[in-house]
Each structure stands twice: as structure tokens, then as C-alpha cells.
Amino acid sequence: MQRAAQRDDRAQQVRRGKRLSRVLVCAAAVPAVLITAACSSDSGDSKSKGGGTQASADNSGTPSSASASPTVQAAAYNKLPDPCGVLSKKTLTDLVPKDTSGKKGSSDETSQRASCSWSSLDNNGVKGSQFRWLNVSLLRFDSDATRGSAEAQAHKYFAQQVKDAEAVGGAKNTKEVPLSGTGSEASAVRYDLQKKEGLFKQQTVVARVENVVVTLDYNGAGLAGDSTPNADDLTQSASKAVKEALTAVSDANGGSSSSGSSSSASPSAPSSKPASNAPSKSPSSGASASKSADKKG
């Protein structure tokens, strides 16, 4: 009897122990649930705050990362004159007396490039002959967002033309003479060139006005025993002629550039001033606009 009562007591203790264990498990689970709920609540608040910050940034008026295309200053001159008409009849008579009409060079873009040449042979029979050859080339540049302003391109081409004239093969006594009061910038390069026909005195005058470069080649020689012309006289005549050509460029565009009076300062870098609508495709700055006199006989 006593043993049966003991068994009942042990059974009741086991049942009480199991109930206590379940209570403890449930009690332990409650804080976990509360912690999970709290974390979820914080996470939601954080996302909400982050979203609000992002929206505020998006609506703050910050400029877009895509910047506008760069612009350059518009070209001053938009066309070229008739190359065979840039020099007066009097000037042509002085420089090339036996050919005042000239021969126009071929060009598929006359608003971009043009040239005219004259060849004069004054044959005095047994007393010899005087030969003169003249070529005027004009090259106009347009502003381009990639290449830069038309004036900067023209300045670069001007400098290259002067260097090319100084580097003619076989030339002797080469001398560069900067010219003042001639367009935006100008230089005369003179040298002697010995050919089978005789000694040629070559003058290459390169001048720029705004976005147009004029290259004037003028050479002379005394053939068949005639005297060699004076280089100073030829340089003076060529320099005077190039001024006429620059005036013709201005007159062809209404007498003045679209940007005002011609600047005497050479641009050192492409301009970043606003431009008008981009004009036609500009010629390459490395393209030569004239034939060198050493190709002429």
C-alpha cells in the first residue's frame, strides 16, 4: 500500500516537472518574439528613412551628370572670293606682265578652298628672258566642337605653312621676315632655289585674317643669261599683293567679319565661347592649300 502511494507521488512529480518545463520554454520564447518584432520594426523604419533621404536627394535639384556639348566661337568669314580676282589688274601687270588672266585651280568646295596661278615669260631673245610665277591660295576654316574654333585652326595652319616654306628641299639662304600690319598675322619666307633653267628667287608670303589663310607664292628668275631679279623687290611686291588678297576676303564677306574687327592677336587655344549653328565640314588643318614653287620649272 505504501509502495503504491509512493508510485503515485512520483508520477505526480513527473507530470508537474513536464508542465514546468513547458512553461519555461514558452516564457523563453516570448522575449525572442518581442526582439524579432522590434528588429523588424527598426528595419522598416530604417528603410523608410533611407527612402525618404533618397527621394529628397532626387528632388533636390542637383544637375544631371550628362553635361551639354561644348561649343566654340563661330567662324568670322563664311565664304571666299574668286581667287583669280583677288589682285588688281595693275598688281598683276607688275608681278606677271605676260599673264594677267590666271588659271583657276580645281576645287570641289570653293567656299572652303580656292586658288589661282599666273605664269609669265618675258622673252627678249638673245638678251635672255625674265620668268615670273605667281600662285595665290585661300583656305577657310569652320568652327568645330572637336577641332576647335575656326580662328584657332587657321592659326595652326598658318604656322604650319610657314614651317613648310622654311623646309623646302634644296633651298638656300632661307630667311623668314615677319610682316606687321598685314591681317591678323603674316610672315614672308624667302630663299634661293637652283634649277636646271637657272637660279630662282622664291618668296612665300603666308597671311591670316580671322579664319582664312592666304598663301602667296611668287618666284622669279633670269633665264638664258638674263640677270637674276632682286629678292628684296620680289618680297616687297609679294607682300603688297597679299594685302590685296586679304582685303578681297573681307570684301567678299561684306567688308567686315561677323565677330567684329580683325584681331591682331594669335589665338593660343580653341575658344570656348558660344557658337552659332555648326556650319559645313571644315578642311583638315594639315591639308596644303598651295603648290610649292619648286614643282614649277
Side-chain angles (χ1 to χ4, degrees):
M1 199 65 181
Q2 185 177 0
R3 284 194 296 269
Q6 290 176 348
R7 285 196 298 270
D8 290 340
D9 289 339
R10 284 196 296 272
Q12 287 179 2
Q13 289 176 356
V14 170
R15 285 194 293 272
R16 282 196 298 268
K18 289 182 179 180
R19 283 197 297 270
L20 180 59
S21 297
R22 285 197 294 270
V23 170
L24 292 176
V25 169
C26 290
V30 170
V33 172
L34 293 176
I35 292 172
T36 302
C39 292
S40 299
S41 176
D42 290 343
S43 177
D45 291 344
S46 176
K47 290 181 179 179
S48 176
K49 291 178 181 179
T53 302
Q54 183 64 37
S56 175
D58 292 343
N59 296 324
S60 63
T62 303
S64 173
S65 59
S67 59
S69 299
T71 57
V72 291
Q73 185 177 8
Y77 294 130
N78 298 315
K79 58 184 178 179
L80 296 176
D82 176 4
C84 293
V86 296
L87 302 179
S88 67
K89 187 69 172 288
K90 181 181 182 305
T91 298
L92 290 172
T93 301
D94 292 340
L95 271 63
V96 282
K98 297 301 180 179
D99 179 15
T100 57
S101 57
K103 181 180 179 181
K104 188 178 297 186
S106 59
S107 174
D108 55 355
E109 290 185 89
T110 55
S111 66
Q112 300 287 132
R113 63 183 71 232
S115 65
C116 189
S117 61
W118 297 260
S119 183
S120 172
L121 180 63
D122 187 4
N123 193 339
N124 298 311
V126 294
K127 295 182 180 180
S129 303
Q130 284 293 322
F131 175 78
R132 301 289 186 273
W133 181 75
L134 173 67
N135 186 84
V136 176
S137 298
L138 304 99
L139 192 61
R140 187 184 69 83
F141 292 85
D142 280 321
S143 293
D144 183 271
T146 301
R147 296 186 181 94
S149 72
E151 188 172 355
Q153 293 179 68
H155 168 68
K156 183 179 179 181
Y157 179 73
F158 162 84
Q160 186 60 53
Q161 284 289 87
V162 173
K163 287 183 179 179
D164 289 347
E166 293 177 307
V168 172
K172 295 181 179 180
N173 304 318
T174 302
K175 181 181 180 182
E176 180 190 354
V177 182
L179 303 177
S180 61
T182 305
S184 302
E185 54 186 333
S187 284
V189 179
R190 48 191 280 185
Y191 54 85
D192 298 337
L193 196 62
Q194 183 67 52
K195 298 184 180 183
K196 61 181 181 180
E197 297 86 357
L199 180 63
F200 284 73
K201 295 290 185 176
Q202 171 70 33
Q203 327 296 312
T204 297
V205 182
V206 186
R208 178 182 68 84
V209 57
E210 301 283 7
N211 59 308
V212 176
V213 177
V214 176
T215 303
L216 187 147
D217 288 303
Y218 183 49
N219 66 45
L223 307 179
D226 206 346
S227 60
T228 301
N230 183 278
D232 290 334
D233 293 341
L234 295 180
T235 301
Q236 185 177 2
S237 297
S239 300
K240 179 183 176 181
V242 84
K243 288 184 178 181
E244 283 191 27
L246 295 178
T247 300
V249 172
S250 178
D251 291 344
N253 289 271
S256 64
S257 69
S258 61
S259 62
S261 60
S262 175
S263 171
S264 60
S266 302
S268 59
S271 171
S272 59
K273 296 179 181 178
S276 60
N277 292 334
S280 58
K281 184 179 180 181
S282 68
S284 170
S285 61
S288 175
S290 63
K291 298 178 181 179
S292 59
D294 59 322
K295 295 183 180 179
K296 296 291 180 179

